[in-house]
Amino acid sequence: MNLEFFTISMLNGVSYGLLLFMLSSGLTLIFSMMGVLNFAHTSFYMLGAYFAFTISKAIGFWPALFVAPLAVGALGSLFERYSLRRVHKFGHVPELLVTFGLSYLILEVVQLVWGRSTVPYGLPEQLQGPLFSLYGTQFPKSRSFIMLVALLMLLSVWLLLTRTRIGLVIQAALTHPEMAEALGHNVPRVFMLVFGGGAALAGLAGVIGGNTYVTEPAMAGSVGSIIFVVVVVGGMGSLAGAFLASLLIGVLQTFAVALDYSLGSLVQLFGVAVTEQTFGYALLKLTISQVAPILPYLLLVLILIFRPKGLLGKRED
């Protein structure tokens, strides 16, 4: 493992991890403040990419970077106001079902409007090409832009929640809703804005993730399961835990897909011959890159066994 491989893989892993954090942060905020596990969260991510694709064709990418998340956030707020709020009083199961249904509805609408194939949502000219080269290997500007936006988003959310009056009202509505209402604050409106804000964060991730990777109807499903892994591994409702888990999973998967070592090659280092007749040969020949997609879920299982509350979560009795 040379310096070139380690540096490029680490940067790619961090950029992918920060994109996962942009997605998981909105889901974490919604769950921690409202107790709603939003199954349609990655659908808002998909909408952000498609909205940005359409808007960028009309007025350019940079205006779309701001307009598309606001549009997704507005849709999220309307959904909370006119649908989710009506089933909230019936408990968590109806909430899960209505968000699950919304994810299918968004998928069908996207396919009706933009089609079932990939759309040509490309990078703007300013983000094309490499940022730098290391021993002949290039690191693209687009991934560094993802890292920059994610870190700015993290700083903005932290300042909003801890250093502003709005953040104090949100925290008060979370912990003492009756007292917050007695002081004249509209708690349902606060929750509507929180849900819309979480959806807007997912939309922002879609704007910069859609042109860096691919924009297609399957993009929500491809990241849906991994986002829930991030939230559980980090700790349900913990923003810091989601940040740590996102980086951990991003780096883990990025390094894993580039390693072609197997248990068989490890055994052979100790002088043990491995052939097709060897017991368990099918498992011994599997390389790390082949099992890379299941590593996050293996980590999830281990976390649930040895630390059910997650890395930085607080267990509730």
Side-chain angles (χ1 to χ4, degrees), residues 106-308:
I106 292 176
L107 176 61
E108 293 299 325
V109 170
V110 165
Q111 291 178 345
L112 284 174
V113 176
W114 288 281
R116 297 177 180 271
S117 59
T118 303
V119 297
Y121 177 34
L123 292 166
E125 184 178 352
Q126 297 88 339
L127 296 180
Q128 295 178 6
L131 180 66
F132 63 86
S133 298
L134 183 65
Y135 301 110
T137 302
Q138 298 177 341
F139 185 72
K141 292 180 182 178
S142 57
R143 300 208 172 201
S144 60
F145 184 66
I146 289 177
M147 298 166 69
L148 175 63
V149 173
L151 292 175
L152 290 176
M153 186 210 72
L154 173 63
L155 178 62
S156 300
V157 170
W158 180 77
L159 290 176
L160 175 68
L161 294 178
T162 62
R163 295 293 186 271
T164 66
R165 179 179 175 83
I166 296 176
L168 293 177
V169 172
I170 291 174
Q171 295 185 55
L174 167 67
T175 56
H176 301 88
E178 295 84 3
M179 183 62 70
E181 279 192 316
L183 293 174
H185 300 292
N186 191 329
V187 173
R189 182 181 298 173
V190 171
F191 286 160
M192 181 184 73
L193 294 176
V194 168
F195 194 93
L201 293 180
L204 177 61
V207 173
I208 63 175
N211 55 13
T212 302
Y213 297 98
V214 63
T215 300
E216 60 178 356
M219 64 187 298
S222 63
V223 297
S225 58
I226 197 71
I227 292 306
F228 283 99
V229 170
V230 168
V231 172
V232 175
V233 169
M236 299 292 287
S238 172
L239 195 61
F243 180 74
L244 179 60
S246 298
L247 291 180
L248 177 61
I249 291 174
V251 171
L252 176 66
Q253 277 202 297
T254 302
F255 273 94
V257 296
L259 297 175
D260 289 327
Y261 301 105
S262 65
L263 286 176
S265 61
L266 178 63
V267 170
Q268 288 176 341
L269 292 177
F270 296 95
V272 179
V274 177
T275 65
E276 294 184 2
Q277 286 71 39
T278 304
F279 177 76
Y281 177 75
L283 292 177
L284 291 175
K285 71 176 183 177
L286 288 177
T287 63
I288 298 176
S289 60
Q290 289 176 307
V291 300
I294 69 171
L295 291 181
Y297 306 100
L298 177 60
L299 177 62
L300 171 65
V301 172
L302 294 175
I303 286 291
L304 290 176
I305 293 174
F306 297 105
R307 191 176 175 84

Side-chain angles (χ1 to χ4, degrees), residues 22-58:
M22 293 182 69
L23 264 170
S24 60
S25 60
L27 184 62
T28 300
L29 288 174
I30 292 172
F31 179 80
S32 65
M33 296 180 183
M34 301 176 62
V36 176
L37 197 56
N38 181 17
F39 270 99
H41 192 71
T42 53
S43 298
F44 291 120
Y45 162 74
M46 178 173 62
L47 280 180
Y50 276 99
F51 283 179
F53 163 68
T54 302
I55 296 172
S56 62
K57 290 198 302 183

